[in-house]
Amino acid sequence: MAWVLGDVTVANNGIYRKIGTSGVGSWPRVADLPYSFIIASNAGAGAADAIQATTSVPVSKSALIWASIAEANTESPVTISFNGGAPMTIETNSGSNIAVGGFVAGMIVMGIVSGTIFRLISDQTSEALLAQVEAVVDGIEVGAFATADQGEKADWLPPPLTSLKGQVLAVRSDGSGYEPTGTPTGQFFAEDGARIVRQAERVFIGDAVENLGTNTGSQPDWLTQYLLSKGRTFAFQQVTQQAVLTTDDDYSANAFLAGGRTSTLGIPGNAIGVLGLAVNDNTTLQTGAYGGYFEGFQNTGALGPAYGTEVDIINFDDPIAIDPFTQNAKQTIGQQMASGAEFAGAESASAAYNIRNNGANFLRGIVVGNDAIAGTDGTTGRGAWALVATGHTEQTYSASGLMAWERGAEPGLNGDYFIESQGTGSVKVKRLKETDGNAWDSYTPSATPASGTFTTATATGRYRVRGKSVEFSASLSITTNGTAAGGINISLPFQAAAGVGYALAADERAASGVLCRASVAASGLTAQVFRYDNTYPGGNGAVIVISGVYQRV
C-alpha cells in the first residue's frame, strides 16, 4: 500500500496497492486520499458565473470542498469546475440557483459534489435577495410598469398593485420582465405557449384568461363582449368559478371535454362523462338550481345550424327493443328522463319535459325525422315514434288548471279508447279513409290474366270502409287483349280476412254484355273474374266491372 501526495497531475494523487512480486506487477489506484475537506484555489481563471478552481488532490463526493469567490456573479445559474473537469451547477442548500449578486468577491463557500450539482453547505448572501425585494417595493410606490424601455430597474417591475388585485404575474417569454397572466397568448398547444390562469380562487382557461376576475359586468373576454352586445348586462363568467373559452387557434374547437369508461371500474357502477349537481337550499331568496344549463346562439348570416344540446347514442351491439313494460339492462337510450335519483323520500317531480317561451317561441314542438324511427322512411312502412302504457292519457287545456279534452286508452288489452270533452265541444273529422262510413276513396287496382298478357289495359277503383267491412267497385278496360286468357285477377284495396271467401257481382258492359262472376278467396289479395260459364271474360274493347262487400283483415 502506498500514498501519493503533491503530484503535479492532481488525478495521480491517491492511495495505491501493489499487485505482483517485487520488481514486477503494477500499482493500481484504489482510493482517494482520506481528507475530510479539500481546499480549492480560485485565481479568477474562469468567469464570475463560470468558476474554474484547482485542488491539490482530486475532489470527491466524500469530501467537503472549501472554495473562495473571486468576483460577484452577474447571472444565474452559476457553475464551477475543478481541475479542468465538467462544470457543475452551484445550488443553495435548499436547492435553488444562486441569485444574481448572490456571490460577492472574497466570499468563502463550502459544499459537496452531488452528481452534476455542487451543493452549498454555506449559503449565498442575503443582500442580493433583499435588494430585489426593495426594488419591487420602490417600483410599486412609483407605479413603474415593466417595459424594456424604462431602464434596467423598471424591466422587471410590475404595475401598481391596485390594478393587479387578484392577478398573477408571469415572466415574459423574452425574459425582459413581468406581465399579468390575464393576457391571452392566442395559442392552443402547450409547446406554443397556451396558458391557464388562476385569479384568486377562480380558474380561467383559453381566452377566458382575458377576464380580470373582478366584480365588474363588462370584461374584455370575447364571450362577455358578445353577450353584452346582445343586450345582457353581464356574462356568466362574472359568477363562474371556472371558465373555459376557445381561442383564435385553428384547433381550438371545443371548450371542454370530459370522458369516462367502465373498464377501469373495480366495483359495480356507472361511468359518467359529465356530472352536474345543483342544490336549491336558499330559504330566503327565490332562486333556482339547474343541474345543467345550455344556450346555443344563431347569428344572422350563419351558414350552419345551432343547437342548445345534442345527445347522440352510439350502439355497436345488437339493437334491443323495449316497451313501457319491458326494460333491459343493455338498453341504449338517447336521452333518459328519470325522477328521484333513488333517494328515499323523494316526491313526484312536476314534469319530465316542459316546453316554454323564454323570450321567443318554437315553430314546432316535437319533430320526428321521416327516417328517424326503424320500420319506416315516412313513405312506406310503420315505426312507433311513441310508446305509452294503457291508462296514460293526453290532456288538452283551455286555460290555467282547466282541462278541455282528454284522450287515451283504458287500462288493459280490451280497454276502450276514448276521446272526452269536459265542455260541449264535439269531435270533428274532416276525412277518414278507413273509418268514416260516408267517405269513398280511389285506388288503382292491378289486373293480370291467368295466362298470357294484356297488350293495352287500364283499371280504376273506389272503396269505403265501415269498421272491418269494405265496399268496393273496380273497372277494367281492355283496349287490346293480346295473349291474355283464362280468368282475370283484380287486386283488392285491402287483404280479405280469413274465412270461407266471398262472392261478388260482375259483368262485361262494352263488347259482349255477357254476365260474369267474381270471387275472393279467404285471406285473398285479389278478386278472380270469369264468364258465367268459367271461360275467359275479356277481349278487345271489353269493359269488365266488379263490385261487392268483403271483410278485411
Side-chain angles (χ1 to χ4, degrees), residues 233-421:
T233 56
F234 73 97
F236 286 105
Q237 294 96 304
Q238 187 178 359
V239 289
T240 300
Q241 199 72 32
Q242 175 175 311
V244 184
L245 297 182
T246 59
T247 68
D248 292 336
D249 191 280
D250 291 343
Y251 292 93
S252 183
N254 305 308
F256 180 79
L257 172 66
R261 62 176 181 173
T262 60
S263 61
T264 57
L265 296 179
I267 58 174
N270 302 309
I272 300 175
V274 177
L275 177 65
L277 303 177
V279 178
N280 189 358
D281 55 359
N282 194 325
T283 59
T284 304
L285 300 175
Q286 182 174 329
T287 56
Y290 294 75
Y293 180 82
F294 303 92
E295 294 180 348
F297 292 82
Q298 179 83 345
N299 261 17
T300 302
L303 301 181
Y307 302 95
T309 60
E310 176 172 336
V311 180
D312 277 4
I313 180 69
I314 299 93
N315 181 26
F316 291 119
D317 206 341
D318 295 330
I320 294 177
I322 62 173
D323 62 44
F325 293 94
T326 306
Q327 302 286 294
N328 190 288
K330 292 185 63 177
Q331 63 195 30
T332 48
I333 309 296
Q335 186 174 16
Q336 176 163 298
M337 306 302 296
S339 176
E342 300 182 352
F343 279 100
E347 300 289 348
S348 297
S350 298
Y353 275 100
N354 186 30
I355 302 175
R356 58 171 297 183
N357 183 322
N358 195 22
N361 58 25
F362 293 95
L363 295 179
R364 301 287 187 272
I366 298 175
V367 178
V368 180
N370 67 294
D371 58 354
I373 306 299
T376 182
D377 58 4
T379 304
T380 60
R382 290 184 180 181
W385 80 272
L387 285 74
V388 61
T390 58
H392 293 77
T393 67
E394 174 190 313
Q395 298 177 350
T396 302
Y397 279 68
S398 59
S400 177
L402 183 60
M403 182 178 66
W405 284 89
E406 183 177 22
R407 69 184 179 94
E410 298 287 359
L413 178 63
N414 300 315
D416 293 333
Y417 190 86
F418 62 90
I419 301 176
E420 295 179 353
S421 172

Side-chain angles (χ1 to χ4, degrees), residues 36 92 109 209 290 442:
S36 57
T92 66
V109 297
V209 301
Y290 294 75
S442 299

Side-chain angles (χ1 to χ4, degrees), residues 164-189:
L164 291 173
K165 183 178 180 180
Q167 294 194 43
V168 179
L169 300 183
V171 179
R172 291 178 180 158
S173 58
D174 59 4
S176 63
Y178 297 86
E179 63 184 0
T181 55
T183 303
T185 65
Q187 301 299 326
F188 185 72
F189 296 106

Side-chain angles (χ1 to χ4, degrees), residues 109-297:
V109 297
M110 290 182 292
I112 59 174
V113 174
S114 177
T116 60
I117 303 298
F118 184 65
R119 180 85 63 187
L120 296 184
I121 302 301
S122 59
D123 217 333
Q124 60 182 322
T125 178
S126 61
E127 293 180 0
L129 301 178
L130 179 60
Q132 290 184 12
V133 174
E134 291 174 344
V136 170
V137 174
D138 290 343
I140 294 172
E141 290 174 350
V142 300
F145 190 75
T147 56
D149 58 357
Q150 288 181 314
E152 180 179 353
K153 174 181 175 182
D155 276 349
W156 58 275
L157 293 178
L161 285 183
T162 54
S163 65
L164 291 173
K165 183 178 180 180
Q167 294 194 43
V168 179
L169 300 183
V171 179
R172 291 178 180 158
S173 58
D174 59 4
S176 63
Y178 297 86
E179 63 184 0
T181 55
T183 303
T185 65
Q187 301 299 326
F188 185 72
F189 296 106
E191 60 267 28
D192 297 328
R195 178 178 295 157
I196 180 172
V197 175
R198 173 176 171 177
Q199 300 278 20
E201 299 303 319
R202 302 165 66 190
V203 177
F204 296 145
I205 302 173
D207 270 11
V209 301
E210 289 186 322
N211 193 294
L212 302 178
T214 58
N215 189 19
T216 303
S218 179
Q219 295 288 338
D221 63 89
W222 66 260
L223 183 55
T224 297
Q225 291 300 308
Y226 176 82
L227 294 176
L228 293 180
S229 72
K230 296 301 180 183
R232 282 203 171 132
T233 56
F234 73 97
F236 286 105
Q237 294 96 304
Q238 187 178 359
V239 289
T240 300
Q241 199 72 32
Q242 175 175 311
V244 184
L245 297 182
T246 59
T247 68
D248 292 336
D249 191 280
D250 291 343
Y251 292 93
S252 183
N254 305 308
F256 180 79
L257 172 66
R261 62 176 181 173
T262 60
S263 61
T264 57
L265 296 179
I267 58 174
N270 302 309
I272 300 175
V274 177
L275 177 65
L277 303 177
V279 178
N280 189 358
D281 55 359
N282 194 325
T283 59
T284 304
L285 300 175
Q286 182 174 329
T287 56
Y290 294 75
Y293 180 82
F294 303 92
E295 294 180 348
F297 292 82

